[in-house]
Amino acid sequence: MGPMDYESNSWIWDGVCYYPHLFGGLMLTAALLGFSTSYFSGIGAPSLPFFWSDFGIFQKRKSEKKRIRVYMDGCFDLMHFGHANALRQAKALGDELVVGVVSDEEIIANKGPPVLPMEERLALVSGLKWVDEVIANAPYAITEQFMNRLFNEHKIDYIIHGDDPCLLPDGTDAYALAKKAGRYKQIKRTEGVSSTDIVGRILSSMNDATDSKNHNETSPNGDSNKESSSHGALSHFLPTSHRIVQFSNGRGPGPNAHIVYIDGAFDLFHAGHIEILKSARQLGDFLLVGIHNDQTVSKLRGKQFPIMHLHERSLGVLGCQYVDEVIIGAPWEITRDMITTFNISLVVHGTVAENNPFASDGDPYAVPKSMGIFKSLESPKNITTTSIAKRIVANHDAFKKRNAQKVESEKKYYAEKKYVCGD
């Protein structure tokens, strides 16, 4: 029996399995018809397969596996690789990931003022490679009404959250209802980074910058930089090759791919980065992103930068759906050898960038310009790392108060932390 024969007759076995009594009756009727047509040769009867095929219940069942839809929500303020890794883990628990972005009003009521408005947070979440759908203005707590909406309207199978507790102002669990319904799954928190930690770094680094400036103005030698640390608050993230592989696409460009290259610091990965990377990706088949090392960024922008170190910034960029590959620690100057090595077809640079008061002489894009493969790309958003840092500094007291409360809960989490398998 060939494959086509099996395909055309497998409805018989479906009938046997799913409708044994009805199938048996039809078998008996068909047998009598077969006898009568052989006895009364003048009377025609339809062939057996044709006769049975009229019964829809015996058509071959196309058994498609139900796609599992999972939901995860969050504020996603100061989007970082910890958020991205949480969503990566959530996606691994299903087939489609729906993400709820908590409204500005709910964040203010439960945590304090957000750094990023809803529009920017939506752009960041939508730009991640693991996200399929986004629900704007999601509630901070999973209420019964909203949970029913998730299950019935959005066809959600499971609600996901990290192993760190998420408590409401009254001390109750924000995910208690989902747990009670048996539709809750837990993922492992990404260690070493949080929005609270990043706000602390920004406040500390801005203080360092102010102290350094004041010291330079009063010091006759102007050598205060020697005494100033490059980072007010050190990162606790421990990068591993495994984490980089998890974020990587795991594929290179095709033999005839039009490779676009863009470079930068990509510090405090923000909506402006997402939009410029999207624009760059539309110019070719493969987007290669060069990420400058910490020393280069510090030299160009001052010792208080970068806020995020090289591996943190690399993971932030790798999580973006428009990025195919990154160069970790890319050179400041783009050379002809580098263009040849990576088979770069086009080099682009955005029109909105940080001021570079410490930049050395020379144009880092001189070579691609001379080769006729450079393009200045209009930046869709006027957002920079410094402009975001200034938002926090402008609301210094509010964020300092917010962070003081969060730091205590962070300390408690780490003090009581136990090993959680899998990530």
Side-chain angles (χ1 to χ4, degrees):
M1 180 185 293
M4 291 301 292
D5 294 327
Y6 176 79
E7 181 74 10
S8 61
N9 292 318
S10 60
W11 55 269
I12 296 176
W13 306 113
D14 287 343
V16 173
C17 293
Y18 296 108
Y19 305 95
H21 300 297
L22 182 57
F23 190 83
L26 286 172
M27 282 285 288
L28 178 60
T29 303
L32 291 171
L33 281 171
F35 172 77
S36 63
T37 53
S38 63
Y39 186 79
F40 303 103
S41 58
I43 302 175
S47 63
L48 200 59
F50 177 82
F51 176 77
W52 283 343
S53 66
D54 286 340
F55 290 83
I57 56 173
F58 295 135
Q59 295 295 332
K60 177 172 172 57
R61 294 189 171 200
K62 296 180 179 179
S63 56
E64 294 183 0
K65 180 186 175 185
K66 180 184 180 299
R67 294 183 66 78
I68 302 299
R69 287 169 61 82
V70 296
Y71 172 83
M72 187 171 192
D73 59 14
C75 302
F76 303 107
D77 199 19
L78 287 177
M79 188 82 177
H80 51 71
F81 66 91
H83 292 135
N85 192 48
L87 295 174
R88 180 193 65 79
Q89 292 180 76
K91 179 63 178 282
L93 295 176
D95 302 300
E96 297 171 4
L97 173 61
V98 180
V99 180
V101 181
V102 177
S103 69
D104 295 344
E105 295 75 19
E106 289 270 288
I107 296 176
I108 292 170
N110 289 278
K111 300 180 72 172
V115 180
L116 308 181
M118 170 60 75
E119 178 193 2
E120 293 179 23
R121 292 184 289 117
L122 279 176
L124 283 163
V125 173
S126 301
L128 287 176
K129 63 175 69 174
W130 302 285
V131 176
D132 297 296
E133 296 176 28
V134 178
I135 300 174
N137 297 310
Y140 188 79
I142 302 289
T143 63
E144 187 168 358
Q145 180 182 7
F146 184 70
M147 187 170 70
N148 290 333
R149 179 185 161 196
L150 289 177
F151 294 158
N152 300 323
E153 183 181 331
H154 296 281
K155 308 301 179 185
I156 298 300
D157 295 288
Y158 297 102
I159 294 171
I160 316 296
H161 187 62
D163 64 314
D164 52 321
C166 182
L167 302 179
L168 299 174
D170 63 2
T172 58
D173 185 353
Y175 295 90
L177 287 175
K179 292 176 181 177
K180 185 178 180 181
R183 305 279 285 271
Y184 176 85
K185 287 191 176 184
Q186 185 173 282
I187 58 169
K188 184 176 181 179
R189 169 176 166 156
T190 303
E191 306 291 0
V193 67
S194 67
S195 296
T196 302
D197 165 52
I198 294 171
V199 168
R201 294 192 212 180
I202 292 170
L203 291 172
S204 182
S205 66
M206 294 300 108
N207 288 337
D208 283 353
T210 302
D211 293 344
S212 176
K213 180 180 179 181
N214 293 338
H215 191 85
N216 272 328
E217 290 174 352
T218 57
S219 172
N221 298 324
D223 59 355
S224 65
N225 282 343
K226 294 178 182 178
E227 301 172 9
S228 175
S229 62
S230 59
H231 296 283
L234 296 176
S235 167
H236 299 290
F237 174 60
L238 301 175
T240 64
S241 60
H242 180 60
R243 181 71 75 223
I244 293 173
V245 169
Q246 287 175 327
F247 274 54
S248 173
N249 285 346
R251 62 178 182 271
N256 300 313
H258 189 79
I259 300 172
V260 179
Y261 178 78
I262 186 171
D263 61 1
F266 297 98
D267 199 13
L268 287 183
F269 198 68
H270 53 68
H273 292 140
I274 288 281
E275 296 299 334
I276 195 68
L277 292 173
K278 180 179 180 181
S279 297
R281 182 63 175 79
Q282 291 171 345
L283 297 175
D285 310 308
F286 191 91
L287 182 60
L288 176 64
V289 181
I291 304 172
H292 299 146
N293 63 32
D294 296 347
Q295 292 75 18
T296 298
V297 177
S298 293
K299 179 182 177 182
L300 295 171
R301 300 184 182 177
K303 283 204 167 184
Q304 71 272 26
F305 293 103
I307 304 298
M308 313 289 284
H309 70 56
L310 177 60
H311 288 96
E312 293 176 311
R313 293 183 284 119
S314 298
L315 289 176
V317 174
L318 273 173
C320 177
Q321 64 170 299
Y322 308 113
V323 175
D324 296 291
E325 181 63 286
V326 302
I327 299 176
I328 302 175
W332 168 247
E333 182 180 352
I334 300 171
T335 64
R336 187 177 293 270
D337 178 68
M338 177 180 166
I339 292 170
T340 302
T341 299
F342 291 100
N343 196 28
I344 295 170
S345 307
L346 181 66
V347 176
V348 299
H349 186 65
T351 54
V352 173
E354 301 284 350
N355 294 325
N356 298 325
F358 306 104
S360 57
D361 295 334
D363 183 358
Y365 304 105
V367 170
K369 285 178 180 178
S370 69
M371 297 172 65
I373 61 168
F374 178 82
K375 180 181 178 66
S376 182
L377 200 56
E378 186 70 29
S379 298
K381 291 185 179 294
N382 188 24
I383 304 173
T384 64
T385 301
T386 300
S387 71
I388 290 176
K390 285 181 177 178
R391 297 179 195 177
I392 296 172
V393 174
N395 293 281
H396 180 276
D397 292 340
F399 282 110
K400 192 172 182 180
K401 181 180 179 181
R402 166 183 155 177
N403 257 37
Q405 296 171 340
K406 290 293 293 181
V407 164
E408 290 305 313
S409 63
E410 292 274 307
K411 286 181 179 178
K412 183 179 179 182
Y413 167 78
Y414 281 108
E416 299 173 356
K417 184 181 78 170
K418 295 181 180 179
Y419 175 73
V420 178
C421 181
D423 65 338

